[in-house]
């Protein structure tokens, strides 16, 4: 198994389009922080805006892209969702879009992010402001990630998919405990 900086296993990491969004269903669909608030991609919590052709080509979300909450409250910092649908949607502001390259499976990368979140990594390493916290892209790109063979990654992902509900539930419980712990440090 090799260990790489995260920047070596991703093809893309970028912010979304910064446009005024509406919630009344007019225009093109855009991701929002709320879209991934439960750790899944929720089409009931998207925004809408009229995008130009250039914006559409630049900010289209592809299947297997990971959306990452890098600016949020401590409780939600580091949340991710993987886009697995075939519907047209665009990458809105306040989430990072992360696209894996051919060294890692997108689901393996997402489970790595979930592991970091559950371990309290994002809470410990986020920059805190009055009502929000953030993790900068340089720090994310410099993370060290263990990268087994693609065949081994497939086995890991298959096994973790079997425990997905348990992981999601413990994610909520552990995050609350970690936030309470780190508020006083």
């Amino acid at each position: 198994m090799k260990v790489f900086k995260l920047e070596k296993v991703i093809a893309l990491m970028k912010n979304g389009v910064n446009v005024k969004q509406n919630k009344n269903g007019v225009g093109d669909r855009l991701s929002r922080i709320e879209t991934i608030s439960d750790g899944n991609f929720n089409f009931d919590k998207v925004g809408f805006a009229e995008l130009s052709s250039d914006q559409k080509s630049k900010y289209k979300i592809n299947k297997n892209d990971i959306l990452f909450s890098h600016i949020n409250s401590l409780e939600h910092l580091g949340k991710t969702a993987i886009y697995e649908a075939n519907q047209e949607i665009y990458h809105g502001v306040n989430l990072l879009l992360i696209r894996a390259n051919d060294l890692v499976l997108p689901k393996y990368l997402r489970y790595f992010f979930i592991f970091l979140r559950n371990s309290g990594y994002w809470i410990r390493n986020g920059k805190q402001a009055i009502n929000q916290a953030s993790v900068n892209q340089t720090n994310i790109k410099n993370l060290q990630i263990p990268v087994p063979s693609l065949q081994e990654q497939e086995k890991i992902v298959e096994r973790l998919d079997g425990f997905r509900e348990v992981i999601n539930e413990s994610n909520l419980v552990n995050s609350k405990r970690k936030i309470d712990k780190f508020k006083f440090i």
Side-chain angles (χ1 to χ4, degrees), residues 16-178:
V17 62
N18 191 1
V19 294
K20 183 159 176 62
Q21 295 185 18
N22 70 72
K23 293 183 182 180
N24 60 12
V26 176
D28 301 295
R29 291 184 296 179
L30 291 122
S31 64
R32 308 169 47 86
I33 288 176
E34 297 85 358
T35 307
I36 69 165
S37 63
D38 70 354
N40 297 298
F41 198 95
N42 186 339
F43 277 97
D44 294 331
K45 295 182 178 181
V46 298
F48 297 87
E50 296 290 337
L51 299 179
S52 69
S53 321
D54 184 53
Q55 288 172 318
K56 286 181 182 182
S57 67
K58 189 174 180 181
Y59 295 103
K60 184 176 187 298
I61 298 175
N62 296 332
K63 192 168 187 169
N64 292 317
D65 282 346
I66 296 168
L67 296 176
F68 180 94
S69 182
H70 70 300
I71 300 172
N72 212 322
S73 64
L74 276 177
E75 180 182 354
H76 297 288
L77 192 63
K79 275 192 179 178
T80 60
I82 193 163
Y83 186 71
E84 298 178 297
N86 288 317
Q87 300 178 41
E88 196 164 296
I89 190 156
Y90 301 94
H91 178 211
V93 72
N94 293 333
L95 290 172
L96 284 179
L97 182 142
I98 300 172
R99 188 170 293 152
N101 67 22
D102 58 356
L103 292 175
V104 293
L105 299 173
K107 280 187 165 187
Y108 176 82
L109 183 55
R110 179 166 183 246
Y111 279 123
F112 175 72
F113 288 137
I114 290 171
F115 165 77
L116 290 175
R117 186 165 186 276
N118 281 340
S119 73
Y121 179 86
W122 303 119
I123 292 170
R124 287 190 310 274
N125 292 287
K127 305 275 188 274
Q128 295 185 39
I130 294 174
N131 288 322
Q132 69 179 15
S134 63
V135 181
N136 77 40
Q137 290 184 43
T138 301
N139 291 346
I140 296 169
K141 288 178 181 179
N142 284 326
L143 286 169
Q144 298 288 311
I145 178 172
V147 181
S149 70
L150 290 173
Q151 183 179 14
E152 195 63 31
Q153 288 178 49
E154 287 174 1
K155 289 177 185 175
I156 292 167
V157 166
E158 184 178 317
R159 181 138 178 136
L160 291 174
D161 278 349
F163 295 106
R164 191 171 181 170
E165 288 302 315
V166 174
I167 290 169
N168 286 341
E169 184 58 34
S170 77
N171 190 11
L172 296 172
V173 172
N174 288 333
S175 293
K176 175 70 173 126
R177 286 185 193 138
K178 286 178 185 77

